[in-house]
Each structure stands twice: as structure tokens, then as C-alpha cells.
Amino acid sequence: MRDALKEALQAVDQVLLGKQHAVRLAMACILARGHLLIEDLPGMGKTTLSQALARVLGLSHQRIQFTSDLLPGDILGTSVFDRNTGQFTFHPGPIFAEVILADEINRATPKSQSALLEAMEEGQVTVDGATRPLPETFFVIATQNPVSQSGTFALPESQLDRFLMRLSLGYPSPAAERSLLLGDSRKARLDALPVALDPARLKELQEAVPKVIASEAIIDYILRLVNRTRETQVCAWGLSARASLGLLAAARAWALMEDRRYVIPEDVQAVLPSVVSHRLRASEDPSGHGGGGLAQWLLNEVPAV
């Protein structure tokens, strides 16, 4: 199982060059059964990452392009009257795939953004009073452009809190970009990706994550980190209980990827910036852009022992 996971990571690395840490965080997010938010400029590989992960894991993939005129029914599906039967027939929307790329989610109106809330939290959607389950391996990768760009609607805190992690891929290194220019196109590399970790083995890994041992010392460390954000005047508000649960789940997933059955402080520290940066806001920063700096401040402020 460990070899299959390593093969999957290496395969994605062949497509998304020079972003090994971001790829590992994205995989940890999947193993922890969370959802991923990627905030970056256009053309940085956000779509490529979602397609590569779906392909190496053997999962179905759907892209939903969020625009200002997108309606909730375009995401969830709708019921259409069938004259032959005299009944309404439900036509499922793209949300029923296993990996969903919610592309440029902050270009849609809040009404359409909220259509993802129940799906991400409950693993099901309710349309016309009927509740329909989503695939067991349901995973959302949402991308958004920086809020400073025109035509964007900032995601509310309630929806940001439902993403386990937020990443920023950033510009590739000169060496990685040179390899990208000299090599095959990203599409050709995607088409050549093998299925390295099938859904059955992925499910086994996901079920193994909660079984990774977190000692009382690790739990206390996470509690100290969370409580520090609630006590300080540096943060506009503290981390939620969902954030502390997410931090523990992500740390367990990271430990499993390191081929360990127990969590160490370095696992918590490796995932903390991506887990808390979108949940924190500095008191003196109403724009909400200071989460990354607060995450590093938090790591420096709270000792592991």
C-alpha cells in the first residue's frame, strides 16, 4: 500500500513539476476526507493538479466552471417532467462525480457558492425534497483567483471553514519551468498517467487515517495551538472546533504518508499552515490576507513541548 501511494505521488510530480510539497498536502487532504481550496493566479496548474489526482486514483472527474450566472441547479441537477410517464425525472448534475473541480468558485454569486455547502459537509445533496448520496470518495478541489481581481465574490467564513486545506501553488522554479518548456505538453503527460492507487485501496488508506495514534501530548499540542488563537488579540477570531478536528486528521494523514502509525509534532507543523491560514484573520487586517503570516506566528508562539 505504501508503494502504491508513493507511486501515485511520483506520477503527479511528473505533471506538476517542482510542486512536491503541494502535491503531498493535496494527497493528505484526500486521505483525511477533507476538501481543498487553491488560491492562485490563473495558469499556475490548479486544474492540472485536480486532473492528475483523479487520474492516478482512478476516480471520475468533473469540472464546474463557476460564473456569475451559474445557478444551483447547474451544480446539483434538476427534475424534468417526462410526458411519457407523467412524472418528474431527476437529472443529476456534475456534483455527482468523485473528484469535483469547482473552478474559480469566487466568480459565482453567494447563492451558487452555497450549493456546495451540504455536499461538502454531509456527502449528500437535497433537491426537490429528496436527499441523494454522493460518491463515497467525493472530493472537492475549489480554485479561486485572488480577491483583489475584478469580478470576484469573497467566500464567506462559513464556507472557508469547510475546506480542510488551502494551498497556493505559486510560480514554478526556473529549473521546473525549463523542464516544462522542453518536455511534453501537460495534456500529453496527463494522458500518460497510470492508475497507481485504485479506489478500493484509497478507501483502505482513508479508513486507516483515524487509526493513526495521536498521543495525549499531541492532543495537548493541538489544543494549545487552537486556544492561543482564541486568547490573543492578534487574531480577529479564534479557530473553530472543526479546525482542531481538521488539524488532527491532516496530521494523521501526513504521518501515514510518512509510513508511521503515530503522529509526531513535525506532522502537525507540516500541515498547520495549509489548515489554518484561510481560517484566521489578523485583527488589524480587514482584507483577510494575513492568514499565512498568522500560521507562522502561531508555530513560533506555541512550543511543541
Side-chain angles (χ1 to χ4, degrees):
M1 192 72 67
R2 168 66 179 171
D3 292 339
L5 180 57
K6 184 177 179 181
E7 182 183 347
L9 291 168
Q10 290 175 341
V12 179
D13 289 339
Q14 297 303 311
V15 177
L16 206 69
L17 302 177
K19 300 297 178 185
Q20 288 86 353
H21 187 65
V23 170
R24 287 173 62 80
L25 285 171
M27 185 65 76
C29 191
I30 295 176
L31 296 181
R33 297 184 185 271
H35 301 286
L36 179 64
L37 178 65
I38 307 178
E39 180 176 313
D40 220 324
L41 295 169
M44 295 297 178
K46 302 185 293 292
T47 302
T48 302
L49 175 59
S50 70
Q51 293 173 331
L53 286 172
R55 186 173 289 271
V56 299
L57 298 175
L59 303 175
S60 60
H61 179 274
Q62 280 282 2
R63 174 177 177 171
I64 306 174
Q65 186 64 49
F66 279 66
T67 58
S68 59
D69 58 350
L70 186 74
L71 299 175
D74 299 328
I75 302 171
L76 306 179
T78 185
S79 295
V80 178
F81 184 73
D82 188 337
R83 292 184 178 180
N84 296 326
T85 62
Q87 296 179 337
F88 283 92
T89 301
F90 178 70
H91 293 260
I95 195 70
F96 287 89
E98 292 170 306
V99 176
I100 302 296
L101 173 63
D103 204 15
E104 296 183 312
I105 188 174
N106 60 337
R107 291 200 177 278
T109 60
K111 183 177 182 179
S112 295
Q113 292 175 4
S114 65
L116 284 176
L117 284 176
E118 182 188 13
M120 293 171 59
E121 186 71 12
E122 305 293 340
Q124 63 186 26
V125 297
T126 302
V127 182
D128 297 334
T131 299
R132 295 175 171 85
L134 294 169
E136 191 172 3
T137 51
F138 178 70
F139 177 57
V140 173
I141 300 179
T143 73
Q144 67 173 3
N145 298 326
V147 294
S148 58
Q149 291 197 348
S150 61
T152 59
F153 299 85
L155 292 175
E157 285 74 18
S158 61
Q159 184 149 339
L160 284 174
D161 198 39
R162 282 168 169 78
F163 287 99
L164 175 59
M165 294 184 181
R166 182 180 71 174
L167 302 179
S168 179
L169 297 177
Y171 293 109
S173 67
E177 193 162 11
R178 178 180 175 82
S179 298
L180 181 64
L181 294 174
L182 292 175
D184 297 329
S185 68
R186 278 181 171 173
K187 184 179 185 306
R189 296 187 184 195
L190 279 170
D191 292 341
L193 283 179
V195 176
L197 193 68
D198 59 48
R201 287 190 288 180
L202 173 62
K203 182 181 176 182
E204 289 181 27
L205 286 170
Q206 290 176 328
E207 292 174 347
V209 168
K211 300 175 183 177
V212 175
I213 298 171
S215 66
E216 290 191 16
I218 292 295
I219 299 298
D220 290 340
Y221 180 38
I222 291 176
L223 288 174
R224 290 199 305 273
L225 289 165
V226 172
N227 287 329
R228 188 71 183 98
T229 67
R230 300 170 182 172
E231 298 166 353
T232 182
Q233 298 297 318
V234 174
C235 302
W237 53 74
L239 292 170
S240 67
R242 183 188 285 118
S244 58
L245 289 169
L247 184 56
L248 176 59
R252 280 174 161 155
W254 192 267
L256 187 67
M257 292 173 61
E258 293 290 326
D259 203 19
R260 273 185 283 100
R261 297 294 177 176
Y262 55 91
V263 180
I264 61 176
E266 286 76 5
D267 299 324
V268 178
Q269 294 160 1
V271 300
L272 182 137
S274 60
V275 172
V276 309
S277 63
H278 57 296
R279 294 179 162 99
L280 293 178
R281 181 178 299 180
S283 299
E284 70 278 4
D285 180 22
S287 67
H289 296 160
L294 285 176
Q296 189 57 52
W297 168 84
L298 187 60
L299 287 174
N300 296 336
E301 186 78 5
V302 181
V305 293

